[in-house]
Amino acid sequence: MRYKREETVVQEVQRNQNAKEMDMNMKLFSQRFNRELAGLGFPEEFSEKMKAITKVFGVNQHTANNLIFGHALPSGPLLDKIASVLEVCPHWLTGQTDKKRSYHREVEDSV
């Protein structure tokens, strides 16, 4: 019985750690996403920025808001689209790597 409780505690700790990592990744995504948008000349004013994001990335306002504020990470296909438009590596956007360059550029550089 005691073993079961210890296992449950370990699982809970792992869930908490995973949640913290996800929060950090969402925050990092938001920072990098917003910085790259600014670098491309997207509007800084919130409502204009929302309109531009919904139009360029084909998302609704709720999703655009989540991306701007880091409330959620984009799905795989949306992440790929964002990375393509911003010309960065999708893994860099989500904090999985420090390499900013896009996959396409990495392939060209190695040829």
Side-chain angles (χ1 to χ4, degrees):
M1 189 69 145
R2 183 174 183 202
Y3 177 75
K4 284 283 190 188
R5 280 189 232 147
E6 288 175 3
E7 182 178 296
T8 303
V9 169
V10 169
Q11 289 171 343
E12 185 176 331
V13 168
Q14 288 172 341
R15 277 194 303 274
N16 289 339
Q17 182 64 32
N18 290 341
K20 286 178 186 176
E21 288 175 12
M22 181 65 84
D23 286 345
M24 288 174 56
N25 287 347
M26 289 186 305
K27 182 182 281 190
L28 184 59
F29 170 83
S30 175
Q31 291 170 347
R32 291 179 173 182
F33 177 67
N34 285 298
R35 183 173 45 222
E36 293 301 312
L37 291 177
L40 290 176
F42 273 64
E44 287 297 318
E45 197 275 316
F46 180 73
S47 64
E48 293 300 314
K49 185 183 220 177
M50 288 274 290
K51 287 178 191 175
I53 290 170
T54 59
K55 184 175 182 178
V56 170
F57 298 111
V59 297
N60 60 35
Q61 289 183 347
H62 179 75
T63 300
N65 186 68
N66 284 342
L67 296 173
I68 291 169
F69 292 106
H71 296 305
L73 291 172
S75 64
L78 178 56
L79 179 61
D80 288 340
K81 184 174 185 175
I82 291 168
S84 176
V85 169
L86 300 179
E87 296 183 349
V88 298
C89 175
H91 295 296
W92 175 79
L93 280 171
T94 58
Q96 297 172 346
T97 184
D98 291 332
K99 294 181 181 180
K100 183 177 175 180
R101 295 182 301 172
S102 69
Y103 289 137
H104 185 264
R105 287 187 189 165
E106 289 174 3
V107 170
E108 287 177 356
D109 289 347
S110 66
V111 175

